[in-house]
Amino acid sequence: MVKLLLLCLLVVVFDHNPNSTANREFKFKNVPSPSKDDAATQAKLTLIDGDLDGGSAELAALTDGRLPADEDEPGSNVYFRAGSSGGRFRMDFGSVINIAQVNSYSWHPNSRGPQLYKLYGADGTDPKLNLDPKRGVDPASCGWKLIALVSTISDHGENGGQYGASVSDVGKYRYLLFDVYVTELYDNWGNTFYSEIDVIGK
Ligand SMILES: [Ca+2]
Ligand SMILES: [Ca+2]
């Protein structure tokens, strides 16, 4: 399944491998497989708001190039606390880089598979830049630019499996902010199992 969503002139593509075919190789039709050596590998990750779940891996697991071997491996994924509405974290590349793609990967057999987040960027030159905007503060009001809304949520209840989402032609930024949302509110288990986030430089 492939969907195209045009927002802010940026194309977000996502792929879904259903439970029956998802495996540790994270191979997708259109989205490239996760990378062990991309611009995010050396980036500094900082939690801005929200709490990671007690069973979640450390934030660094998002960029370590390692992938879960199975569909339900909490310790190989990063996810916000059960029952919470998500949170925010920031990536710092140390200097401005030209970003071709931001690719995010997730895997869970049920409601923690799909992804929902807003991606913001900042080059660090705006004097009113707030590097740590908490929930309730619109990043766009304090020096961040909204790059894309990434949503792999389907309208026909197909939740489980493996997802890869790719934002292309992102632009020149030093910082990326991921504003990550719970994907369903039927129970406490709607925070996505994020396995890896790659940032591909130009
Ligand atoms: Ca990576
Ligand atoms: Ca990882």
Side-chain angles (χ1 to χ4, degrees), residues 17-18 23 28 67-68 79 92 131 151 168-169 181 189 202:
N17 294 330
N23 62 49
F28 298 98
L67 301 167
Y79 55 103
D92 178 3
L131 282 175
S151 172
S168 292
D169 292 323
Y181 289 86
W189 319 114
K202 272 188 179 162

Side-chain angles (χ1 to χ4, degrees), residues 45-191:
L45 290 170
T46 306
L47 190 64
I48 295 174
D49 202 4
D51 301 311
L52 296 185
D53 193 271
S56 167
E58 298 291 321
L59 213 50
L62 289 172
T63 55
D64 63 0
R66 302 178 59 153
L67 301 167
D70 208 348
E71 63 182 10
D72 192 0
E73 265 190 29
S76 300
N77 295 284
V78 171
Y79 55 103
F80 285 95
R81 183 168 48 79
S84 76
S85 61
R88 291 176 170 176
F89 56 86
R90 159 166 49 84
M91 249 181 216
D92 178 3
F93 304 105
S95 59
V96 172
I97 62 170
N98 198 357
I99 300 171
Q101 287 184 333
V102 174
N103 302 329
S104 52
Y105 304 92
S106 56
W107 194 12
H108 187 268
N110 203 282
S111 59
R112 295 173 142 186
Q115 303 179 20
L116 179 61
Y117 66 89
K118 288 181 186 169
L119 177 64
Y120 295 84
D123 63 12
T125 59
D126 189 332
K128 68 176 192 307
L129 175 62
N130 174 4
L131 282 175
D132 304 294
K134 303 277 186 192
R135 279 274 165 85
V137 177
D138 180 3
S141 73
C142 54
W144 295 87
K145 184 184 172 208
L146 177 61
I147 297 168
L149 167 68
V150 175
S151 172
T152 73
I153 297 172
S154 75
D155 49 13
H156 50 91
E158 189 182 32
N159 279 328
Q162 202 168 57
Y163 290 82
S166 181
V167 185
S168 292
D169 292 323
V170 174
K172 293 179 180 173
Y173 298 103
R174 171 175 172 176
Y175 304 100
L176 294 177
L177 187 158
F178 295 82
D179 187 16
V180 178
Y181 289 86
V182 67
T183 61
E184 54 93 1
L185 298 167
Y186 300 112
D187 52 38
N188 286 338
W189 319 114
N191 277 299

